[in-house]
Amino acid sequence: MLKGGFHRSGLEWFSSLPACLLLLSVVLFSTSSDIHNQMLRGGEQLWSGYYKLRLDPAAPTCNPEQDIDAAVARELAQEPADDDPMAALLGAQEKDPADVRLAIERSVADCKAAHQNYDNLRDRLTPGVKAYRAVELFIADLIAFGLQSQRYILVVLVMLCAVTATLTRHHIAMRAMETRLDYTVSLTLQTLANAMLLGSSLIFRQSSIGSDTTMSSDELLLHNLWITGFACLTLASLYRLIRVPSGLAPGGSLNKAFLAVPLYTVMCLISGSYFALIGHASGIGIYLGKMMELADMFLNVGLYVWVGMMLKQTRLATLVFNVFRPWRMPPEMLAVVAVLVAAIPTAYTGASGIFVIAAGAVIYSELRAAGARRQLALAATAMSGSLGVVLRPCLLVVVIAYLNREVTTDELFGWGIWVFVLTAAMFTLVALTVNRQSRFDLAPASRALPAMLQAIKPLIPYALVIAGVVLLYRYALDVRMDEFSAPRLLPVIMLAVLLYEHISLKNRKGTASGEINHQGLERSLRGATNDTTAEIGALLLLLGLSVSIGGVIERSHVMQSFPQAFDSAWSAMLLMVVILVILGMIMDAFGAVILVTATVATIAYASGIHPIHFWMVTLVAFELGYLSPPVALNHLLTRQVVGEAEVLAAQQETGSFYQRHERIIMPLIAMGISLVLVAFVPLLFYA
């Protein structure tokens, strides 16, 4: 991670306040839809036929008091028009007076009914109805505005946070900047990549304007926002390049300096160079524009990051660890407990990396306090978010079901439980056998159990606050807590938790081991949003460039070199596993899912691999990829939250080869065995 170097002062809200308002607006717009549905139901219950009262009734233009006899006479006296071709073709026919009278009588009756209905509706438009209607229509307009604004909110959020990540040197890289050479190489290539993004967006705008199709004002505004954002990003990186921070060591190695280049920069330079060589300079801009097609999904990613950062500001993680502390578990067993417990919040924060960012520091510090060696603590921290991605209501699974009609969320989450059990068992087995270096000497139950029950008590108010918000949405808005409502419920839940802590801890400070000094609601929310801005900028920019790399793979027709179907599902699965793990190494999860859906998935289906089986393999393979060198994204995120010094100290520890590289090898063994079992055992039953 590139981190530090930009002093956060009282002006920090200049970046985080707009991000906070944008995220709150997303929650507001999505919640307003639930409120509107309830208001329509409430209006129907209060005033039957409320849907007719939502707009002022239009007065009928017909005359209910017309003379029927005179109207019949006029109709019978009318001659067919000379220029009427039908009359000339069929010839004049005499009108039946009875039919004419019947038609006019029905018309008059309909007219009287329309006037009566108009009078009834006008009489029912009481001041109460008008006031209720005004609020309901305002919320309806708010929903329409929110849906229309999603794309603009996403662009502004990504660009604002990307600039913040650049100024704070917070982009995701293989190693931190330590020397002046690291800094110069990294910022020079960042500036070049940002200028390439700006140029591609400008070319894409000009080609869109010059195309045969007419560009709408909304599309033009979107283009202008991208261009403005990339211009600001280029200036930000140029500013950081010129203003070299003090404290950097002189000199440096060029090979190490290239490792300090952010991953998004590398992806941008690769994809930009490829598109330029094939004469498609607007390629990056086009693929970044595809993010707008899934704007709600990427905004949900931002909300999950925000939820994770608010979780980091609370005492929840420490209080949960306090429950297990009385048992005096050996480090290996505590690592297993930490990873298993972390699976649930991981499912609610959308992706493994987000949870590592949110709770990784607490997990690492608690394991170290329990006596865990650095390598074990780093391994457990990196893997803390890997098991929960298959559990409800993980956003990644929802995206898979959205993009692939062959599977549903219920099917994926149903089988995900069994995959979770398997991966949890494998991790437990590796941690307690291969990895075991401590004696199992648990505290007596007679002493540990009462202390454990005592430690549960502080968690009860949190459970009540969470249950209160969930029940409020359930009964007031008819919204259940599931994978579709989680993105808008979780921010409200975490805000309620922060409010509870603000009230309960206002006049006292945490004194228990590991508790934070709660500094109030505003400071906690500001701290969470400060962290969120940089993380959203790093993650979403990386995700967007992952989509661009997917475009390179798609346009280069690499996948066409493979057979489009295999005679053997076993051979196809072997190839799928290799490809999916490699994609997990080099691409963000959401970008990789989009690419896999367009390419690899069709080959798997055609080769006889069941869609549910394929996507379960994909999820496990991705997690193995995030833990695998050379990139190992979850390890990079772990290094960010625990600090470079701790990782360097772990690397200097002595011992066997396994002990010196335990943080890398242990997760690979657990997830590698799990992947082999998930991929090939089901084939025995249906292939």
Side-chain angles (χ1 to χ4, degrees):
M1 281 299 158
L2 311 181
K3 189 178 180 181
F6 183 75
H7 178 65
R8 282 193 180 276
S9 64
L11 301 178
E12 58 194 356
W13 269 118
F14 272 118
S15 63
S16 56
L17 180 58
C20 181
L21 295 177
L22 289 171
L23 293 169
L24 283 174
S25 68
V26 176
V27 176
L28 174 63
F29 291 146
S30 58
T31 304
S32 62
S33 177
D34 304 320
I35 297 174
H36 184 248
N37 291 336
Q38 290 302 102
M39 290 200 71
L40 289 177
R41 295 176 185 175
E44 190 63 29
Q45 291 175 354
L46 292 173
W47 304 281
S48 179
Y50 171 74
Y51 69 94
K52 296 181 180 179
L53 303 175
R54 297 184 69 232
L55 298 174
D56 290 331
T61 57
C62 60
N63 179 16
E65 304 299 332
Q66 68 173 314
D67 189 333
I68 295 178
D69 292 333
V72 170
R74 285 196 302 271
E75 183 67 24
L76 293 175
Q78 285 182 356
E79 296 292 337
D82 294 337
D83 59 351
D84 187 349
M86 292 300 297
L89 179 64
L90 300 177
Q93 296 182 354
E94 290 190 8
K95 299 179 180 178
D96 188 345
D99 292 341
V100 173
R101 175 175 290 275
L102 180 61
I104 293 176
E105 288 176 346
R106 288 178 177 175
S107 176
V108 172
D110 292 341
C111 182
K112 289 181 178 180
H115 275 274
Q116 184 177 3
N117 184 56
Y118 169 73
D119 293 337
N120 291 337
L121 291 176
R122 190 175 55 180
D123 294 340
R124 293 177 63 192
L125 284 176
T126 61
V129 173
K130 291 181 178 179
Y132 187 91
R133 183 183 67 177
V135 176
E136 182 261 310
L137 291 177
F138 171 77
I139 295 177
D141 293 338
L142 187 65
I143 296 170
F145 176 76
L147 292 175
Q148 185 180 3
S149 304
Q150 275 189 335
R151 299 184 299 169
Y152 310 123
I153 293 175
L154 176 60
V155 175
V156 174
L157 185 66
V158 170
M159 291 293 96
L160 173 68
C161 295
V163 170
T164 303
T166 299
L167 293 175
T168 57
R169 296 158 53 196
H170 207 91
H171 285 296
I172 301 171
M174 299 290 290
R175 60 184 295 273
M177 299 179 196
E178 298 175 354
T179 67
R180 288 183 176 271
L181 182 61
D182 294 344
Y183 187 88
T184 302
V185 171
S186 178
L187 266 299
T188 299
L189 293 180
Q190 281 186 62
T191 305
L192 179 61
N194 295 336
M196 187 177 289
L197 289 170
L198 174 60
S200 179
S201 298
L202 283 168
I203 295 172
F204 182 33
R205 179 184 184 274
Q206 291 305 116
S207 61
S208 300
I209 293 176
S211 62
D212 295 335
T213 58
T214 304
M215 182 187 297
S216 66
S217 58
D218 291 342
E219 292 175 336
L220 182 60
L221 175 60
L222 207 58
H223 280 292
N224 292 337
L225 286 175
W226 278 117
I227 292 170
T228 303
F230 286 132
C232 293
L233 189 59
T234 304
L235 292 175
S237 59
L238 186 60
Y239 169 79
R240 296 305 299 158
L241 177 61
I242 297 172
R243 294 292 299 271
V244 180
S246 60
L248 293 174
S253 167
L254 193 59
N255 291 334
K256 291 184 177 180
F258 282 119
L259 294 178
V261 177
L263 296 181
Y264 95 87
T265 300
V266 176
M267 291 182 175
C268 179
L269 294 175
I270 292 173
S271 56
S273 300
Y274 172 81
F275 287 129
L277 287 174
I278 65 172
H280 190 55
S282 60
I284 301 180
I286 291 174
Y287 280 98
L288 284 175
K290 287 189 175 182
M291 292 177 67
M292 301 301 99
E293 299 175 9
L294 298 172
D296 54 343
M297 182 195 78
F298 292 108
L299 287 174
N300 287 344
V301 172
L303 289 176
Y304 278 127
V305 174
W306 195 34
V307 167
M309 295 302 103
M310 285 192 283
L311 174 64
K312 186 178 178 180
Q313 293 291 323
T314 70
R315 302 164 60 230
L316 269 171
T318 300
L319 292 176
V320 170
F321 266 99
N322 289 344
V323 173
F324 301 99
R325 201 185 305 274
W327 291 96
R328 296 205 308 266
M329 296 179 179
E332 293 85 0
M333 182 176 291
L334 188 59
V336 171
V337 171
V339 172
L340 295 183
V341 172
I344 297 176
T346 297
Y348 280 91
T349 50
S352 59
I354 297 174
F355 182 78
V356 171
I357 293 171
V362 174
I363 292 175
Y364 181 81
S365 61
E366 291 293 337
L367 289 175
R368 289 288 292 151
R373 52 201 175 274
R374 285 189 176 89
Q375 289 282 349
L376 173 61
L378 289 172
T381 303
M383 200 172 173
S384 60
S386 296
L387 304 189
V389 295
V390 291
L391 298 178
R392 191 183 299 270
C394 183
L395 177 64
L396 188 60
V397 177
V398 177
V399 172
I400 290 173
Y402 176 81
L403 297 175
N404 298 268
R405 301 306 178 189
E406 295 84 358
V407 294
T408 64
T409 53
D410 289 337
E411 292 172 334
L412 293 173
F413 285 129
W415 284 101
I417 294 175
W418 296 106
V419 173
F420 167 73
V421 171
L422 173 63
T423 53
M426 288 300 102
F427 178 74
T428 303
L429 182 65
V430 173
L432 301 184
T433 57
V434 178
N435 215 48
R436 180 178 172 183
Q437 299 181 31
S438 306
R439 293 181 56 190
F440 277 35
D441 187 17
L442 296 177
S446 58
R447 283 190 299 172
L449 192 57
M452 180 180 179
L453 295 176
Q454 190 69 22
I456 291 177
K457 289 183 180 180
L459 286 171
I460 295 177
Y462 289 89
L464 293 177
V465 170
I466 294 171
V469 175
V470 172
L471 292 176
L472 175 66
Y473 269 79
R474 173 67 183 88
Y475 292 103
L477 301 178
D478 195 25
V479 176
R480 298 178 183 271
M481 183 66 166
D482 55 25
E483 61 269 25
F484 305 105
S485 62
R488 63 181 182 273
L489 260 71
L490 289 174
V492 179
I493 289 174
M494 294 312 303
L495 287 171
V497 169
L498 287 175
L499 179 60
Y500 160 72
E501 288 194 346
H502 172 72
I503 296 173
S504 63
L505 304 176
K506 186 174 182 179
N507 297 318
R508 63 188 179 89
K509 294 185 177 181
T511 57
S513 174
E515 288 190 7
I516 63 170
N517 289 329
H518 190 75
Q519 298 180 339
L521 178 63
E522 188 272 339
R523 289 190 178 183
S524 295
L525 183 59
R526 188 202 318 168
T529 311
N530 288 340
D531 294 336
T532 300
T533 51
E535 298 301 342
I536 289 179
L539 287 175
L540 288 187
L541 200 57
L542 177 62
L543 199 159
L545 270 300
S546 294
V547 175
S548 183
I549 286 290
V552 172
I553 297 174
E554 182 180 359
R555 282 184 169 266
S556 62
H557 304 293
V558 171
M559 297 308 302
Q560 305 324 16
S561 61
F562 296 99
Q564 297 306 298
F566 288 79
D567 295 333
S568 170
W570 293 82
S571 302
M573 181 58 74
L574 180 61
L575 178 64
M576 297 297 108
V577 166
V578 174
I579 292 176
L580 294 172
V581 172
I582 293 174
L583 288 177
M585 291 180 183
I586 63 175
M587 291 187 67
D588 180 86
F590 296 97
V593 164
I594 296 172
L595 176 62
V596 168
T597 298
T599 57
V600 182
T602 55
I603 299 176
Y605 302 157
S607 301
I609 299 176
H610 195 282
I612 297 176
H613 181 201
F614 170 76
W615 285 109
M616 288 294 104
V617 172
T618 300
L619 290 171
V620 179
F622 281 176
E623 289 305 318
L624 178 59
Y626 304 146
L627 296 166
S628 302
V631 179
L633 181 60
N634 281 9
H635 287 288
L636 295 180
L637 298 175
T638 299
R639 186 178 68 192
Q640 178 196 2
V641 297
V642 305
E644 187 74 19
E646 287 295 312
V647 177
L648 292 176
Q651 292 173 347
Q652 294 171 0
E653 292 179 350
T654 59
S656 65
F657 179 83
Y658 178 87
Q659 292 171 341
R660 286 184 284 113
H661 301 89
E662 184 179 11
R663 66 188 182 95
I664 301 293
I665 299 175
M666 177 188 172
L668 292 182
I669 293 175
M671 293 304 295
I673 295 174
S674 300
L675 177 59
V676 171
L677 294 176
V678 171
F680 295 104
V681 170
L683 292 179
L684 296 172
F685 299 95
Y686 75 85

